[in-house]
Amino acid sequence: MPPSVPSLPRRVARTLRTSLFAQVLCALVLGIVVGKLWPDTATALQPLGDGFTRLIKTVISPLVFCVVVVGIAKAGDLKAFGRIGVKALIWFEVASTAALVIGLVAANLVGPGKGMNVDPSSLDAAAVNETTGGGHLPSTTEFVLNALPQSFIGAFADNELLQVLILACLVGAALLHLGHTKVPKILPAIEQAQEIIFAVVGFVMRLAPLAVFGAMAHLVGNYGLGVMTKYAKLIVLCYVAAALFIALLAVALRVVTGLSLWKFLRYIREEMLLALGTASTESVMPRVMQKLRRAGARDDAVGLVLPTGYSFNLDGASLYLSIGTLFIAQAVGVDLTLGQQVTVVLVLMLTSKGMAGIPGSAFLALAATASSLGAIPAGAVALLLGVDRIMDSMRVVTNLLGNCVAVFAVSRWEGALDIERAKKTLDGEETDPPQGGDGDGDGGDARAVEPTTAATPAPGIPAQKPKEPAPEAG
């Protein structure tokens, strides 16, 4: 007899039970429906998304610390780690500048704000201050000083990733200097802590559908769908420009590594959908780190490039800022010269680097740009208040893909990428999963991942011999 085929309801139920992607997708649709039908109730559901993001943020700093320390210690070459950092910064600057230029060209060609004839005095500038909490973007000096930790514990408590990275580099360098004989238990302890953190991530990820439902219901209930018609031209332009930039990322990834961005996007589809639903790339950082390592990128490259990109490589934000600046100027009837637009690029190259983690940072950067030009009223930034949240999806997708491509490109540049393993993983072929999580997106327990390339023992840290198998019982 031929094997019985499960009925459609059973297949659907099994998919919903085992696939995180299906669960998050259903939660996304359900959140939109609830937000549309019961907006008053939906606006009270925001704590579901916020609570999930807070849980994930609690493990990001210790995870980054463990990955970087283990990566440096096992790679055994601090100079290589320094080269990775320099190459990452070069890549970040080129990518974010390209995003700014694409945004300016697109806004000039389409003119999303032309014909609006907005009177700046009619805009509520106080609403911008309320959104930003009266904050300000740090100066270059402040940004550099803020990257230096004041205390070991404080860096973790405040979730300052750049400070955690610096501490991790110092600890990793110290492990290399002291060697295995002086501190034999430290590296294994950090590796074990890493396993625990990935297990915690696996537990928290089970709440992802609930978080997406709450965040999406709040978005639709609070802002409605009508705002899309009012700003349709601007919204479409931003998303089309983002699609063009992502296409360029795909070409760059293919040229540099030979990998397919589409296959990678399919590989991280659960994380991408979760980031879209919660409007936060931080909510998926641990899982993305895990999957990048599974796809052949070395520990030290993943641990340094991805977290640093969250501060230095905000490609989606760069696109939005350049388009938003010209939109505001066009809406209030200001015609910016070529020289002023070049100034926009230069100012945004600086201001976009200090945006991460600051409330209302996009508005602060736009206000700083408007002030530097002297031709656009700073209060005109209020024009974007109604549409800013709709742009989160564009910014999240572009930022996340930009940083992931940076990890692959810099890893390949430094010789820290296992190309064969990457191709097999992205093709869906079964490879030996690294210890600590198969990255299959089913929401199961996630544990620590061993380096995906042959690690060279650190100087003074001999390779560990495999344990003898235990005698069979009986």
Side-chain angles (χ1 to χ4, degrees):
M1 292 181 62
S4 59
V5 178
S7 62
L8 180 60
R10 287 188 175 182
R11 292 202 301 270
V12 171
R14 183 174 60 187
T15 300
L16 287 175
R17 187 175 66 253
T18 59
S19 171
L20 178 65
F21 179 78
Q23 294 169 6
V24 172
L25 183 61
C26 288
L28 191 73
V29 174
L30 187 59
I32 294 174
V33 172
V34 171
K36 179 64 177 176
L37 297 180
W38 302 284
D40 293 337
T41 302
T43 53
L45 297 176
Q46 186 178 12
L48 294 178
D50 291 346
F52 174 82
T53 303
R54 291 181 68 169
L55 284 173
I56 286 292
K57 283 184 176 181
T58 59
V59 300
I60 288 178
S61 290
L63 174 62
V64 169
F65 178 82
C66 292
V67 170
V68 172
V69 171
V70 172
I72 293 176
K74 289 199 169 183
D77 188 357
L78 196 60
K79 291 182 179 179
F81 193 73
R83 290 196 304 268
I84 290 173
V86 172
K87 292 173 181 179
L89 291 177
I90 294 172
W91 180 276
F92 294 158
E93 195 56 52
V94 171
S96 57
T97 302
L100 288 169
V101 172
I102 288 174
L104 285 180
V105 172
N108 276 294
L109 291 176
V110 177
K114 290 182 177 178
M116 294 185 69
N117 300 319
V118 175
D119 180 6
S121 62
S122 65
L123 298 173
D124 184 12
V128 177
N129 291 329
E130 182 180 346
T131 301
T132 60
H136 69 281
L137 290 177
S139 64
T140 303
T141 303
E142 290 174 333
F143 181 73
V144 173
L145 288 176
N146 289 338
L148 301 177
Q150 297 186 63
S151 72
F152 201 100
I153 303 299
F156 291 89
D158 297 334
N159 222 21
E160 295 286 349
L161 285 186
L162 292 181
Q163 295 182 12
V164 171
L165 275 173
I166 290 175
L167 290 172
C169 292
L170 293 173
V171 173
L175 283 175
L176 286 180
H177 176 71
L178 294 172
H180 181 70
T181 55
K182 290 187 177 180
V183 284
K185 297 182 180 180
I186 297 298
L187 185 59
I190 294 176
E191 289 182 294
Q192 292 167 14
Q194 187 176 251
E195 293 183 19
I196 294 172
I197 293 169
F198 274 120
V200 172
V201 171
F203 299 150
V204 176
M205 285 300 294
R206 296 179 185 275
L207 303 175
L210 195 61
V212 170
F213 168 73
M216 189 54 59
H218 168 76
L219 171 64
V220 177
N222 195 37
Y223 295 96
L225 299 176
V227 69
M228 296 186 182
T229 58
K230 184 178 179 181
Y231 290 92
K233 195 174 183 180
L234 175 62
I235 294 172
V236 171
L237 175 62
C238 285
Y239 278 83
V240 170
L244 174 61
F245 181 78
I246 290 172
L248 292 177
L249 284 178
V251 173
L253 182 64
R254 175 70 72 177
V255 170
V256 175
T257 67
L259 301 177
S260 166
L261 185 62
W262 169 251
K263 289 181 179 179
F264 177 72
L265 187 59
R266 185 177 60 190
Y267 173 59
I268 62 165
R269 61 187 182 275
E270 294 93 353
E271 291 73 25
M272 187 62 70
L273 197 59
L274 175 58
L276 282 170
T278 59
S280 169
T281 52
E282 287 186 334
S283 64
V284 297
M285 182 193 283
R287 290 267 296 194
V288 171
M289 290 179 72
Q290 190 178 8
K291 286 198 167 183
L292 286 169
R293 298 165 74 197
R294 173 180 164 85
R298 207 168 66 195
D299 279 29
D300 50 349
V302 175
L304 179 61
V305 178
L306 189 65
T308 307
Y310 274 60
S311 293
F312 287 91
N313 193 40
L314 303 174
D315 297 329
S318 298
L319 270 172
Y320 172 64
L321 290 173
S322 56
I323 294 175
T325 300
L326 261 66
F327 168 77
I328 293 169
Q330 294 165 358
V332 298
V334 175
D335 187 17
L336 297 180
T337 65
L338 178 60
Q340 288 174 317
Q341 294 190 30
V342 171
T343 302
V344 167
V345 173
L346 295 176
V347 172
L348 290 176
M349 282 174 61
L350 296 174
T351 56
S352 62
K353 299 299 182 290
M355 288 174 51
I358 300 175
S361 56
F363 292 105
L364 290 172
L366 287 169
T369 306
S371 299
S372 68
L373 293 174
I376 306 174
V381 176
L383 272 172
L384 293 173
L385 282 172
V387 73
D388 182 72
R389 184 63 178 81
I390 307 298
M391 299 298 186
D392 275 343
S393 298
M394 178 274 291
R395 291 194 293 249
V396 162
V397 170
T398 312
N399 288 344
L400 184 57
L401 286 179
N403 286 325
C404 290
V405 170
V407 171
F408 281 124
V410 174
S411 298
R412 176 63 168 170
W413 193 359
E414 180 58 27
L417 178 65
D418 186 339
I419 291 293
E420 292 304 315
R421 183 182 183 86
K423 289 181 177 179
K424 288 182 179 180
T425 302
L426 298 189
D427 286 338
E429 297 180 17
E430 195 65 35
T431 58
D432 294 332
Q435 181 186 2
D438 50 10
D440 58 4
D442 61 0
D445 291 353
R447 292 176 292 274
V449 186
E450 290 294 333
T452 53
T453 59
T456 304
I461 303 181
Q464 295 181 352
K465 296 181 180 180
K467 295 179 179 180
E468 294 294 333
E472 295 184 3

